[in-house]
Structure formats: structure tokens, C-alpha cells
Amino acid sequence: MPGPETAEGCEGVTVAVALPGELVVRCAHGADARQALDSTGLAVHAGRGEGPYGDRAYVCRINNFPTAADDDCAGHEDGAPYWKVWRVGLAPVAWRTSQTGDGPAGVAVCPGSLVGFSFGGEMPVGPEQVITTPGWLPPRC
């Protein structure tokens, strides 16, 4: 996977999105991970909310991945791959799955923070490869 573009000097939220074959890193703004993702300029497509959870705000596609042929965005289903939201935890500084029932809208972010998105798997690089500022630690939001 090619190295990420950087968001060094970002005065907002750094958003890292693992797309097939690339890691896209953008400086964004918002009070939660969904708002930050929506402000990156990437094409974000929400689901229709017809599945068992009825969540219209879930992230179905980012930059047309997965394709409409692979996911019709009707609704998130148990056991199916989905866009995972990652936050950064301490001791050690590492990705932690968000574990919220509200998806990305339930993950608070603030200036200086880092949030990640990956489809069906782990983040392909560690947080220290996205924000390379020596001594960076995630702020308390």
C-alpha cells in the first residue's frame, strides 16, 4: 500500500481512510467522526436504513467502495463487512475500534485528533504513520 498523504499542520481533525490500495489522509472539521468524514471532500454515501438496524446514517460507501454491485446500501446486516470507525487510544498509542451503537456519529472528535475508517478489516498503518509529529498524543475530546 502506498504511503499516506500527510495532514501535518492540520488544525482540525485528521481523517485516515483505507481504500483499496491506498490510504487517503485529509484534514477535516466536525464534532464527530461522521461530520469529519463528510467534510473531507471524499464521496460519502449513506445507507438507506432498510436493514435490521434501520440506521440511515451508516456509511455505506466511500469513494464508490464497495461498488453498488457488492452492496446496495439497503441496510447493515450482521456478519457482513462494513466501514469500521477507529479512534486512537493511549498505552500504547494505537487504533481502537469505536464500539459505539451510533456508528461514526457516536465518536467524538476535536481539533488535533485522528480518526480512521477501514472496510471489513484493520487499519493498514499505525497512527504514528499518519501523524508523524514527535510526541503526538490524541487529545481528550
Side-chain angles (χ1 to χ4, degrees), residues 103-124:
V107 179
V109 296
C110 57
S113 63
L114 168 62
V115 65
F117 291 84
S118 68
F119 188 78
E122 303 295 317
M123 285 297 290

Side-chain angles (χ1 to χ4, degrees), residues 9 30 33 42 44 47 49 57 59 61-62 67 69 84 88 112 115 117 131:
L42 297 171
V44 180
V59 175
R61 285 190 202 91
I62 301 175
T67 66
K84 293 182 181 179
V88 179
V115 65
F117 291 84
I131 297 183

Side-chain angles (χ1 to χ4, degrees), residues 4-56:
E5 56 184 89
T6 65
E8 295 299 323
C10 178
E11 294 185 14
V13 178
T14 300
V15 178
V17 179
L19 291 167
E22 70 176 317
L23 183 71
V24 176
V25 179
R26 300 279 171 87
C27 186
H29 299 279
D32 62 53
R34 180 55 193 262
Q35 290 174 358
L37 177 64
D38 287 342
S39 77
T40 62
L42 297 171
V44 180
H45 183 84
R48 296 192 314 264
E50 298 168 2
Y53 299 105
D55 180 8
R56 291 187 155 296

Side-chain angles (χ1 to χ4, degrees), residues 44-91:
V44 180
H45 183 84
R48 296 192 314 264
E50 298 168 2
Y53 299 105
D55 180 8
R56 291 187 155 296
Y58 83 95
V59 175
C60 179
R61 285 190 202 91
I62 301 175
N63 276 13
N64 296 314
F65 182 80
T67 66
D70 293 329
D71 188 343
D72 67 0
C73 296
H76 182 79
E77 296 182 19
D78 287 335
Y82 62 95
W83 282 101
K84 293 182 181 179
V85 184
W86 302 90
R87 59 181 177 74
V88 179
L90 295 171

Side-chain angles (χ1 to χ4, degrees), residues 88-91 93 112-113 131 133-140:
V88 179
L90 295 171
V93 173
S113 63
I131 297 183
T133 304
W136 176 85
L137 293 174
R140 294 186 185 267

